[in-house]
Amino acid sequence: MEENFNPVAQTRANYYTPGSPVQFVCVELLKGDVSGEHAVCLTFKNISRVTLTALEIHFKCKGVDGVILCEDKFEYRDLQVKPGELFGQDDAVFITAKAITSVDVTLCNVYNGKRVVHLDGIKRVRLPAPRRLAPELQKALEARMNRTGLKYQPQVFENGWYCACGAFHPTEEDTVYCSECGCDRILLQNALNTLLQPAAPADEMEMPLNAPAAPAAPAAVEEPTRIVGAAPAAPAAPVEEPTRVVGAPVYEPKADPIQPVSEPTRVLDASARAPLSGVAAADEGTRVIPARRPAPVRQPAPVEEDEEYEDNRDSVAEALIRWVPPITAILCAAIALCGFVYYQFVL
């Protein structure tokens, strides 16, 4: 007699296998409506560029007390899984009447026709848990993206990225579209960024989804991705800045080369004033007379030397200039004439 199995629980994989063409996605627990037995179904995804035809895995199911209920191998045969497709969710790998708390899956071999890729020696990488969104933010994001089940915060890591539906896409998949909910990573980032703008404080503005998140400090809460927020509105009353004391700039006067610096005023007593005024008055008080300014010193104008000095060599040079050209011309003509006579009459 056939029995219907209804979904009871579903848990996504918290690790992935680097470099593998297929990834373990989630485990689903079903319960029979007649017998009450639990069936374990595993879901996988083809993240390669070729069609997969078979997959061999090793799984281990544990009960409530941590005791291993089943540990065995399972083979998915006669597959035609295209790139990006999910498979395995309709095949039960284990059925038991006891409650199951955890399932561990290891990829062994994956086939593409006659070609096989061995995955036993690849070390699995544990993934960080996705972060839940606030209920009101989840509803707003679902309404904006016209999708359901967007309850996680999108995050980007060095080895892949999390979608808002909770699906992890490793770097090997090389896609910006979620194969499970159909969301575009860029549009999802922009939508969530817009929703967070009014409430985001200015001191937490940081860039987001398309760059790998840096590891947080040990003491701080780990936040791989922070969304850029808008700048807050200006306060009603401006904050008064403290008074800053700035020293006045000091200007150094430049000396005037034309105007000589005046000497300080000299004070002359009565005895010194007598020859200046022509009248000696002993009872007069001391008068202040400004000092005389010395006349500016003028540079003497350069004297041009127009005198010509005769040199004894000028006469010799003049004679050479006069007689060397004609003598040279005569010698050249004589040589040419001798050569002509020699070639005409002697030879």
Side-chain angles (χ1 to χ4, degrees), residues 53-56 74-80 87 91 109-111 113:
T53 57
L55 175 66
E56 298 176 357
F74 191 85
E75 298 180 358
Y76 297 88
R77 297 293 181 184
D78 300 327
L79 301 176
Q80 289 295 324
F87 66 97
D91 297 329
N109 300 308
V110 60
Y111 295 86

Side-chain angles (χ1 to χ4, degrees), residues 110-235:
V110 60
Y111 295 86
N112 172 27
K114 295 182 179 180
R115 182 180 179 184
V116 58
V117 179
H118 302 285
L119 306 175
D120 306 74
I122 299 178
K123 185 178 180 180
R124 299 178 299 180
V125 176
R126 179 169 293 276
L127 298 172
R131 302 179 60 187
R132 291 293 297 264
L133 293 173
E136 59 276 6
L137 187 59
Q138 175 184 343
K139 294 180 181 179
L141 183 60
E142 289 177 347
R144 182 173 290 271
M145 297 298 296
N146 196 20
R147 299 274 197 291
T148 57
L150 306 182
K151 53 186 177 180
Y152 298 101
Q153 179 177 344
Q155 300 179 70
V156 171
F157 305 98
E158 184 179 359
N159 48 19
W161 59 281
Y162 266 126
C163 181
C165 66
F168 178 76
H169 300 273
T171 307
E172 292 83 359
E173 192 172 0
D174 191 20
T175 181
V176 295
Y177 297 98
C178 180
S179 57
E180 299 187 31
C181 69
C183 284
D184 185 303
R185 186 182 69 178
I186 307 301
L187 297 179
L188 183 64
Q189 169 193 339
N190 295 337
L192 188 59
N193 184 25
T194 304
L195 295 174
L196 291 178
Q197 278 183 355
D203 56 351
E204 291 186 1
M205 292 193 298
E206 190 111 310
M207 192 66 203
L209 193 60
N210 54 2
V221 180
E222 182 180 2
E223 292 182 337
T225 307
R226 287 187 288 179
I227 309 298
V228 177

Side-chain angles (χ1 to χ4, degrees), residues 16 25 38-40 72 75 78 80 127 134 191 249 297 313 318 327:
Y16 89 107
V25 175
H38 296 87
V40 179
D72 198 0
E75 298 180 358
D78 300 327
Q80 289 295 324
L127 298 172
V297 180
R313 294 174 296 178
E318 185 178 354
I327 293 174

